[in-house]
Amino acid sequence: MKKDSVKKFFYALTLIFCLSIIFSGNVDAAKKKNEPEKILYIPHDNRPIVDEQTIDVVERAGYKIVVPPKEFLGNRENLGNPDRLWVWLEENTKKDVKAAIISSDALLYGSLVGSRKHDYEKAVILYRAEQFKEFRKKHKKLPIYVFGSIMRTPRNGAASGYEEPDYYRHYGANIFRYTALRDKEEMQGLTEREQKEVDFLERLIPEKAMQDWMGRRGKNFAANEVLIDMAREKTFDCLLLGRDDNAPFSQTHKESRYLTKYGESVKKNKFQTIAGIDEIGLMLLTRAINDHTKTVPNVFVRYNYGRGEATVPTYSDESIGETVNAEILATGAKLVENENRADFILAINTNSNGQTYEANTSANDGKANNDTKFFADTVQDYLAAGKKVVVADISFANGSDNALMEVLNQRGLLFRLHAYSGWNTATNSTGFALSTGMLAKKMSDSNKRSLLLTRYLDDWIYQANVRTIVANQLSWIRGEGFYDALNDKRDEAADECGRMITNFVRNNLPSAHVGENLRVDFPWNRMFESRIFFGR
């Protein structure tokens, strides 16, 4: 081969090599550009609503959620391993992560249930809290959003769902009443009769039980003060402390008053105590996305007639109006008074008398009253005017309003909604609906429809109907087990729930096309919450 030919040959090879590098680089860049942006999320346990369902909402909006394996997250029996979660957090906080939303309960106690039952020394908990500062130093530019709980005060042992120490089953109602009176004493003072009741309860409740319960609360309170200090020092981009199940007078309310006072110098968009807890993970994921995209959604809130925003729901210590305003601020949105300036209407279904009831009682009989008809008319009018409507269904706790769902279904409005929520407490529903409504703007119609179906299957069909029916049939199923600990009855109860939900959908929502492969299981071995999925 001649010298010139050799040169031309090597020149051609070099050119091909360079072009291949450029081309492959462009392909890699294109692939990277098409990959969804990542957000790191550590929920406070592995229940479907705070884990799978929360993640599903955000991923349908076009993001990739990086979450610890389920076995790393705490559950009902396994309180979780905070040290293991800290290691996971460090290992998975990569340069391509756009934000981190972290449960402080998971990283301090292992889980939400762990925060109520752990035996960690105060020094250990505060040492873990200090690790947030080290995490911030290593990731100076990463937006960090943290949420934790102010320990709840269940009204009695049954309401605790076996998630408190054993003595709460026997003395829970007494502890609730005693601490409610102590809170009232500071707020308003006590009558002579109430003071006598306090004295009696002090003698009735075992001293050891009270010391244990208040001692654990004291550790939680001290840790929350440290977290507030960090919010003040800008360790976090936002800190939300949720007031788990509580009441207008309760130990939870009392501690919240103190912590709010302690953090009053921190801007409200950087720190809030807020009613609820299970919805806050999705709220902060939404806040992170709004901050990242520099988006401030406008929200117009419409309550049903009657007491409306003045309604104080069960399991809350304040009016729903106060809660919703706080949730709008927490998600990075703006409350507007002109519905024509709103990105969507948040329509909140309340009872005109200001009461909330339990979805599994006879009051939820599916018969539409004037309240139901007025609210359904309101929703229909907004939809007819071309408005996006998000419904927060809170007239009943722990499930949908059957009458409202029947009317909306009859009018063909269920799948015309922008978003819907009606699960668990009122604040769970408003926060979840609000956040889903904001993210739905980024979703396809099919994704919005899928999320609506998830809520209808869970909140309406299961929570408000099937759960109670099958719970009443548990005695017919062989083996040991009951509502709060299904044990031997678990599989058969799940199969029966699956059959009933499938039949309900076939008869009432035929357009949903769920087929025959709908399945149910009970990841926490109880009927209170379920996992509804499609599979074999």
Side-chain angles (χ1 to χ4, degrees), residues 389-406:
V389 181
V390 173
V391 169
D393 188 1
I394 67 166
S395 61
F396 291 90
N398 298 311
S400 300
D401 179 345
N402 278 321
L404 175 65
M405 303 307 284
E406 291 287 352

Side-chain angles (χ1 to χ4, degrees), residues 339-353:
E339 60 191 43
N340 293 319
R341 292 182 51 225
D343 292 294
F344 61 85
I345 309 296
L346 177 62
I348 301 179
N349 179 36
T350 52
N351 295 308
S352 59
N353 62 6

